[in-house]
Amino acid sequence: MKNRKILLVIMLGLAARIFLLPLPGTEDMRTNQLWGARVLERGVSRVYIYEDRDYLAKGFLLWHGLPFHSAHVEYQTELGKLDHVPNCPPLSIYAFALSAALARQVQGGRLKEGGFLNACFNLLPVLCALATALILWSFVGREKLGEAWPVLAAFWLNPVMLFHTPILGYVDAVFAVVGFGSLVALYRRRYTSSVIFAALSCMIKPQGVLILPVIFLTLWLERDRELLRRSILIFGLFVLLPFIPFIATGRALAAVRGTLQVVHVGFLSAQQANFWWLVSWVLPAVSRGSFAALLDPVSMMPVAGLPRWLSFGFRGLSLLLCAGFVAVTLLYLRKELARGNRLAIFWAGALYIYGYTMLALYPLENHLYAFFVYVLPLLVLSDRVFSKLYWGLSAVFALNLFLFDAFGRGTEGAANALRFTLGFDLTVALSALNLLLFVSIVLAPGWHFPATQRGDPRGGSVPTEPPSHPPAAAAGIGGTA
């Protein structure tokens, strides 16, 4: 009976996603299609446009204080003009090229805009979301955490998950499933698999690095230097592998720059209703000395437009807040791991995604997605705190996506109509709600880490390692891939 419920959930969610595959998504999908088209036309090594010698020449001029000219990028592809360098890692580029190649093959050797091309680009994220559901089903059943089908439904049939992918055409599901696989492998002490998956996740999307503190703290606590050294080497090797075509053609610096562009965005908040969006709301009113300015629409505030000391101060404060959040989370995680509670690994990974979207200057409206993946194994525990946070953040996430993206290209007017329907910018209220949920976690005892223990954490029971996972020394520490 339980398996029938699970299969029904999977089939319903899959049918809905197949029906929605042809939707055009946001402008991000359009950009991904242009990058895929360029790879097919010019080869993967040319997708980042520049060569190493261009960056070396620029570095030489900067070092000697000489002026240099930055050329404007504009190339024609089958699908239109490409006017900027990709800002994603190589594995994402390979995925876009694969989607474009599939579309071109079926469309008779030429790319054509429309529903089929959109479906080809939505296909991989949908398959990765399905893989997430299947990994969850297997994990919950194997670890005997509880009934799998309600948690599976909470993810697979969650309207905001459908809204994110494929309605809006975002690709976060690809890196998130690989990151989820890394955390599952880490829980099971399959350390080689964990670091390989983590490296691949980073090379799909830079947000993959957010689970690295969880992984390497867990490795450190095994007290095995050889294991740690080997894991670092394996991680480095799998980070390097996707860059080989670019290294071989003298374009590695361009690929690295494209990968790292996301770590320096020029706005306090980029369409993410978070703490910094509230700062962007308040600053104009403070600078003009007028409370009336608080009723104005909130816009993305360029950091470069602020006084130099203020720009530096905001970047420094963001870095300090993020570093402090990482440190405290690791302290709580270490305490739980010392008690044998490895389920805390998933909460730490989810927290880092949420903390990043709240405290960093760089997240976009779609970057919270991985939280809803990493926290899934905890939804079956007896404590309801994770379910409340899950559904509360689902509502926040859905509104955040809609207020900035509506239903994708051509529907932005619907978002603006709702955003200002009450005479003030609703993104302010949404940011306040988001901040309230975040603060509720920070003020909770142990940041809810005790709730990750099996059974009722308030009963004082100390969790034991599941029988399927013998102590590290007996299992041969480090595991196998």
Side-chain angles (χ1 to χ4, degrees):
M1 183 63 180
K2 292 180 181 178
N3 285 344
R4 287 182 181 177
K5 289 181 178 179
I6 288 173
L7 290 175
L8 179 61
V9 167
I10 290 175
M11 294 306 297
L12 286 174
L14 189 58
R17 284 166 171 81
I18 291 174
F19 176 75
L20 298 169
L21 277 179
L23 292 180
T26 67
E27 285 298 325
D28 282 0
M29 179 186 282
R30 164 73 174 165
T31 300
N32 297 342
Q33 291 170 350
L34 290 173
W35 290 338
R38 177 166 173 85
V39 171
L40 296 186
E41 294 167 15
R42 301 296 301 274
V44 69
S45 65
R46 294 176 177 269
V47 72
Y48 291 104
I49 311 298
Y50 297 108
E51 299 180 23
D52 288 349
R53 60 186 179 184
D54 297 323
Y55 288 103
L56 292 174
K58 180 178 177 179
F60 177 84
L61 294 173
L62 285 172
W63 179 262
H64 291 86
L66 300 173
F68 64 89
H69 175 68
S70 295
H72 176 69
V73 174
E74 186 171 286
Y75 292 90
Q76 186 66 38
T77 72
E78 283 185 86
L79 298 174
K81 288 184 180 180
L82 173 65
D83 60 2
H84 59 284
V85 177
N87 59 351
C88 54
L91 286 184
S92 281
I93 296 297
Y94 300 151
F96 301 148
L98 183 63
S99 299
L102 174 62
R104 188 165 72 172
Q105 181 67 30
V106 177
Q107 291 178 329
R110 183 171 180 80
L111 290 175
K112 303 172 186 175
E113 292 192 63
F116 186 77
L117 179 65
N118 299 336
C120 288
F121 274 78
N122 272 326
L123 181 61
L124 181 59
V126 164
L127 291 177
C128 288
L130 175 60
T132 297
L134 297 177
I135 292 171
L136 174 68
W137 179 13
S138 172
F139 181 79
V140 170
R142 180 173 176 177
E143 301 302 326
K144 296 180 173 54
L145 296 176
E147 283 196 276
W149 76 266
V151 183
L152 199 65
F155 170 73
W156 190 236
L157 299 182
N158 189 339
V160 73
M161 297 295 100
L162 284 165
F163 190 34
H164 180 281
T165 308
I167 293 177
L168 293 179
Y170 283 118
V171 297
D172 302 80
V174 184
F175 100 91
V177 69
V178 184
F180 188 41
S182 178
L183 294 179
V184 168
L186 185 68
Y187 175 90
R188 292 175 173 165
R189 290 194 168 91
R190 305 273 185 177
Y191 294 125
T192 301
S193 296
S194 181
V195 295
I196 290 173
F197 287 146
L200 296 178
S201 182
C202 294
M203 289 298 97
I204 296 169
K205 204 161 187 183
Q207 287 76 27
V209 303
L210 295 174
I211 62 171
L212 294 186
V214 178
I215 294 171
F216 285 104
L217 173 67
T218 306
L219 285 166
W220 177 266
L221 293 178
E222 294 288 5
R223 301 290 191 266
D224 187 322
R225 291 185 179 180
E226 176 59 25
L227 167 65
L228 184 61
R229 183 188 66 82
R230 185 171 68 248
S231 298
I232 292 173
L233 288 175
I234 292 172
F235 177 82
L237 172 64
F238 277 83
V239 165
L240 181 65
L241 285 176
F243 287 97
I244 288 178
F246 305 98
I247 296 172
T249 56
R251 297 173 182 269
L253 293 179
V256 171
R257 179 183 179 273
T259 300
L260 297 180
Q261 279 190 69
V262 72
V263 304
H264 187 78
V265 177
F267 302 94
L268 283 181
S269 182
Q271 298 190 163
Q272 166 65 14
N274 62 2
F275 168 73
W276 293 107
W277 192 254
L278 289 174
V279 174
S280 300
W281 168 60
V282 170
L283 272 182
V286 173
S287 63
R288 289 157 54 182
S290 170
F291 286 109
L294 295 176
L295 296 177
D296 293 342
V298 185
S299 59
M300 293 165 57
M301 179 170 290
V303 179
L306 299 172
R308 186 175 180 84
W309 67 271
L310 196 56
S311 170
F312 178 80
F314 282 145
R315 292 191 185 277
L317 177 59
S318 174
L319 182 61
L320 185 63
L321 290 172
C322 289
F325 188 78
V326 168
V328 175
T329 302
L330 287 181
L331 288 175
Y332 285 129
L333 175 60
R334 178 173 182 168
K335 181 178 178 180
E336 292 302 319
L337 290 175
R339 296 170 61 118
N341 176 22
R342 297 182 74 82
L343 284 174
I345 285 170
F346 296 101
W347 183 229
L351 271 183
Y352 280 145
I353 296 294
Y354 192 19
Y356 162 75
T357 63
M358 287 301 300
L359 303 176
L361 298 186
Y362 317 122
L364 300 174
E365 66 272 27
N366 56 296
H367 286 174
L368 186 60
Y369 176 90
F371 172 90
F372 299 95
V373 174
Y374 298 162
V375 80
L376 285 172
L378 304 177
L379 297 187
V380 295
L381 299 180
S382 60
D383 196 293
R384 296 183 179 276
V385 63
F386 300 115
S387 294
K388 293 177 180 177
L389 285 169
Y390 189 87
W391 291 112
L393 277 175
S394 290
V396 168
F397 193 36
L399 286 171
N400 199 154
L401 290 173
F402 182 79
L403 290 177
F404 289 108
D405 299 325
F407 294 107
R409 281 179 276 176
T411 65
E412 293 83 359
N416 284 329
L418 175 63
R419 184 172 165 180
F420 304 108
T421 188
L422 297 180
F424 66 92
D425 195 334
L426 284 179
T427 62
V428 174
L430 183 62
S431 300
L433 176 59
N434 198 8
L435 184 60
L436 183 63
L437 286 172
F438 185 72
V439 170
S440 74
I441 293 174
V442 174
L443 296 182
W447 290 13
H448 294 305
F449 271 94
T452 63
Q453 299 169 21
R454 291 169 182 258
D456 184 2
R458 288 175 292 271
S461 61
V462 177
T464 57
E465 191 70 20
S468 58
H469 300 296
I477 202 166
T480 61

